[in-house]
Amino acid sequence: PTAPDSPFPYTTRGLPHVSTVSQPPSAPAGPAGEFLHDFLLAAARHTPDAPAVIESDRPGATTVTSYAELAALVDAYAHGLGALGIETGARVVLESDTTARAVAALLACSRTGLTFVPVSPETPRRRLESILATARPALHLQAVDGTRTNLPPALGTARFGPDGLTVDRAPAPHRPRRRVPCVTDPAYIVFTSGTTGRPKGVVMSHRAVLAFYRGMLTHRIATPEDRIASTSPLQFDFSLLNIGLALGSGAAVVPVPPHLVRWPRHLLRVLRDTGATQVNGVPSIWRQSLRYEPERLAALDRLRSVLFCGEEFPLPELRRLQELLPTARIINCYGATESMACSFEDVPRPLPDDVERLSIGVAHPGAEMLLVDASGAVVDRPGVPGEIHLRSPALFSGYWDDPEATRAALVPDPLCPESGQAVLRTGDLAVRGEHGEHYFCGRTDSQVQINGNRVELAEVERKLTEFPGAAAATALALPLPGGGLELTAFVVPGAGRTPPDAGALREFCAEALPPYMVPQQIQLLDALPVTANGKVDRAALADAAARGA
Ligand code: ADP
């Protein structure tokens, strides 16, 4: 069938049409609407024929899964999971790209009281082993065409496909300890990048996720007509934000496979073929398109909004994106995995010439950002930096099996420690503006000491990108062989401009910054390396510099 509102050819999944969401016998009892699956499948009851997931992995092959079809898949997978007899609260590693079936699989985990641990198929074996050793899952679940092999013999293994689950190896029987799923139970565990030490498993309860989704939806970022392109891998909770935003709004999610996100022509082709109206991702997803495919990007006339999260958007690239998409709303979403995210702030259009940093606004309704100075006192005055502490119903429960790290991140409310309320110590620095809005100033751990002077690396990066011809920059304090640190910067030139010259860049910085903040070394790079989640890979840059690469 061809969708009536679209010029694109569609095929549907061909699943049995269901107009109501039936509950399998294993469905947990509980207050309706309070679990992840209830919340995200509400549209299946109201608009069963509306598109829930739109996929286009190849040119000319766009597949739509309606809400009814998604709900039928969830039913089928939940029956399969329920039949395995795994105890409530057990972990299921869900290794997949974001697809309609993967969305159904994670909702089926929620439906059967199991905690899913999203992992991307590209995850290196060593990292997967570390996640398996930490999370001790009962089951590994991948798509029928998933290629992961040689999983530990004690782990159950199954695959999800068009007709349900196939079990390759049944999970070991457990004596059930929990019988009644609670909304405080973990809905999922997302493992952080682990750039600083071993990966930490961020445990999010159903209650926290729904509190976040509800807070996010008050910002009216999406309508039921939207098609929201999600460019983050499933293991990055940004994808869960996108799924929640789309399904929670009765809109469609458009997962863009990671191998296509990296190639600007492929990315833009998917966005065009699926009629995406909103594109959500880290800033780096735009870098290559801005540089090599500006005309194709500007031709996306159905695109109404762009939401970015995860790191600062280099201002030269943001201005260019505004020029190419002159009517699109651009939203700066700030936050960490420990609360999924926290704030949503529109980028002003036009961006004033003298703007130095973007506002991250205020926390979503029902939550509050507090700024706390180095002495532990709450900062109230505008312009005074402090570390963001988040008071919110959407906070994570803790790091899986890591009480020490949990204690360091969930700390007593600095305004009322007596209450027993925990707040999230984010490790992010900000200042407050005149109207109560916040400006992100970098991470506490990106403040370094150069010759005894405190240097905020983000400030150096911002100055470098003000140089005409610089599109993006990263600054690092790298150890010198004889001891001490040296400020080194990596700069990406803008498209069609004369590449900046290192000497001129240094002079430009020296005009505005104290000498200890002027990078001693500046390297020009075609592109900044990125992590699996698409953020600038500072560790890779530091490694390359150490090797003299
Ligand atoms: P990881 O620690 O693996 O990068 P997170 O996604 O939890 O995973 O990272 C959260 C951090 O990313 C925040 O604490 C903040 O430092 C940074 N961040 C997130 N969103 C923004 C934003 N819009 N602007 C600037 N920094 C951001």
Side-chain angles (χ1 to χ4, degrees):
T2 300
D5 62 336
S6 160
F8 311 109
Y10 284 99
T11 52
T12 56
R13 290 239 177 250
L15 280 159
H17 179 90
V18 287
S19 54
T20 53
V21 184
S22 61
Q23 300 278 324
S26 56
E34 292 308 318
F35 288 91
L36 181 65
H37 59 281
D38 299 316
F39 189 78
L40 294 188
L41 286 174
R45 284 187 283 272
H46 306 304
T47 53
D49 298 325
V53 187
I54 304 177
E55 291 162 276
S56 182
D57 297 357
R58 283 173 291 112
T62 298
T63 308
V64 175
T65 304
S66 70
Y67 273 94
E69 288 165 330
L70 184 68
L73 265 183
V74 177
D75 282 354
Y77 295 170
H79 272 294
L81 287 172
L84 292 174
I86 316 175
E87 69 165 338
T88 301
R91 276 78 56 209
V92 174
V93 166
L94 178 58
E95 179 164 352
S96 178
D97 284 334
T98 311
T99 60
R101 289 176 195 161
V103 173
L106 68 88
L107 293 173
C109 288
S110 167
R111 170 80 66 76
T112 42
L114 301 170
T115 302
F116 66 94
V117 183
V119 165
S120 295
E122 294 177 349
T123 304
R125 170 157 290 276
R126 294 264 303 269
R127 180 170 157 93
L128 178 68
E129 281 168 359
S130 141
I131 291 174
L132 295 177
T134 308
R136 288 174 281 107
L139 184 71
H140 176 274
L141 190 55
Q142 63 183 329
V144 271
D145 53 357
T147 55
R148 186 68 72 180
T149 51
N150 291 330
L151 288 158
L155 184 64
T157 55
R159 291 170 182 274
F160 57 86
D163 307 313
L165 289 197
T166 31
V167 178
D168 297 329
R169 187 166 62 215
H174 283 265
R175 200 157 57 84
R177 288 175 299 163
R178 296 173 185 277
R179 290 183 305 269
V180 180
C182 288
V183 294
T184 46
D185 287 344
Y188 66 77
I189 306 174
V190 158
F191 279 84
T192 58
S193 60
T195 41
T196 50
R198 91 188 152 91
K200 288 192 295 245
V202 177
V203 178
M204 284 292 276
S205 68
H206 292 264
R207 186 173 68 176
V209 184
L210 264 56
F212 171 74
Y213 283 164
R214 290 197 167 104
M216 167 171 71
L217 293 175
T218 61
H219 287 275
R220 308 211 169 282
I221 299 164
T223 69
E225 284 68 47
D226 272 310
R227 295 163 177 216
I228 300 174
S230 177
T231 59
S232 294
L234 190 66
Q235 68 185 14
F236 185 13
D237 65 328
F238 197 172
S239 65
L240 302 173
L241 182 155
N242 293 329
I243 293 166
L245 177 59
L247 303 191
S249 305
V253 64
V254 178
V256 187
H259 67 277
L260 299 183
V261 174
R262 289 179 209 125
W263 300 98
R265 278 204 184 188
H266 292 302
L267 169 64
L268 297 175
R269 199 273 308 153
V270 176
L271 300 180
R272 193 195 58 228
D273 286 3
T274 55
T277 60
Q278 181 174 137
V279 182
N280 297 0
V282 290
S284 70
I285 63 160
W286 298 104
R287 191 155 294 143
Q288 303 302 326
S289 301
L290 290 172
R291 195 154 177 199
Y292 300 113
E293 301 290 345
E295 290 86 18
R296 279 195 168 81
L297 173 53
L300 294 175
D301 50 7
R302 299 185 67 166
L303 199 55
R304 300 193 299 108
S305 55
V306 165
L307 183 145
F308 71 89
C309 191
E311 61 189 2
E312 286 182 281
F313 209 127
L315 292 178
E317 294 182 337
L318 189 57
R319 286 184 204 282
R320 185 78 180 119
L321 189 63
Q322 282 194 332
E323 274 164 32
L324 294 174
L325 302 173
T327 56
R329 175 182 177 193
I330 301 184
I331 301 158
N332 181 6
C333 168
Y334 158 82
T337 306
E338 286 80 351
S339 62
M340 194 172 295
C342 157
S343 70
F344 300 85
E345 182 71 1
D346 280 48
V347 173
R349 176 184 287 282
L351 204 52
D353 284 341
D354 59 352
V355 80
E356 282 184 2
R357 35 174 90 111
L358 298 173
S359 165
I360 53 168
V362 296
H364 61 68
E368 185 184 19
M369 291 188 218
L370 304 168
L371 298 185
V372 177
D373 71 14
S375 73
V378 174
V379 177
D380 262 337
R381 275 177 304 128
V384 182
E387 182 178 348
I388 301 176
H389 285 54
L390 180 63
R391 215 156 59 80
S392 166
L395 296 187
F396 75 130
S397 312
Y399 296 112
W400 180 263
D401 199 16
D402 196 341
E404 201 182 320
T406 304
R407 266 194 303 277
L410 288 175
V411 300
D413 175 5
L415 279 178
C416 188
E418 304 85 341
S419 67
Q421 175 172 195
V423 302
L424 171 66
R425 183 172 182 185
T426 62
D428 289 332
L429 295 168
V431 293
R432 194 166 292 142
E434 294 295 334
H435 307 288
E437 78 283 17
H438 296 85
Y439 297 87
F440 175 80
C441 308
R443 295 196 46 83
T444 46
D445 55 16
S446 76
Q447 279 191 341
V448 293
Q449 297 284 335
I450 304 275
N451 300 331
N453 299 291
R454 196 167 79 187
V455 174
E456 177 45 66
L457 295 172
E459 218 173 301
V460 180
E461 292 165 0
R462 267 191 290 271
K463 185 77 283 151
L464 287 163
T465 55
E466 282 173 21
F467 188 88
T474 296
L476 294 177
L478 298 176
L480 285 166
L485 294 170
E486 178 177 63
L487 197 56
T488 302
F490 301 86
V491 178
V492 180
R497 315 277 305 240
T498 325
D501 154 79
L505 270 165
R506 254 197 306 275
E507 264 172 46
F508 179 76
C509 291
E511 280 167 23
L513 300 174
Y516 56 85
M517 287 182 75
V518 177
Q520 283 124 306
Q521 304 290 337
I522 297 187
Q523 287 187 31
L524 295 183
L525 294 180
D526 258 0
L528 294 170
V530 293
T531 64
N533 289 353
K535 299 194 189 194
V536 175
D537 193 341
R538 291 171 178 270
L541 279 172
D543 276 358
R547 289 196 317 270

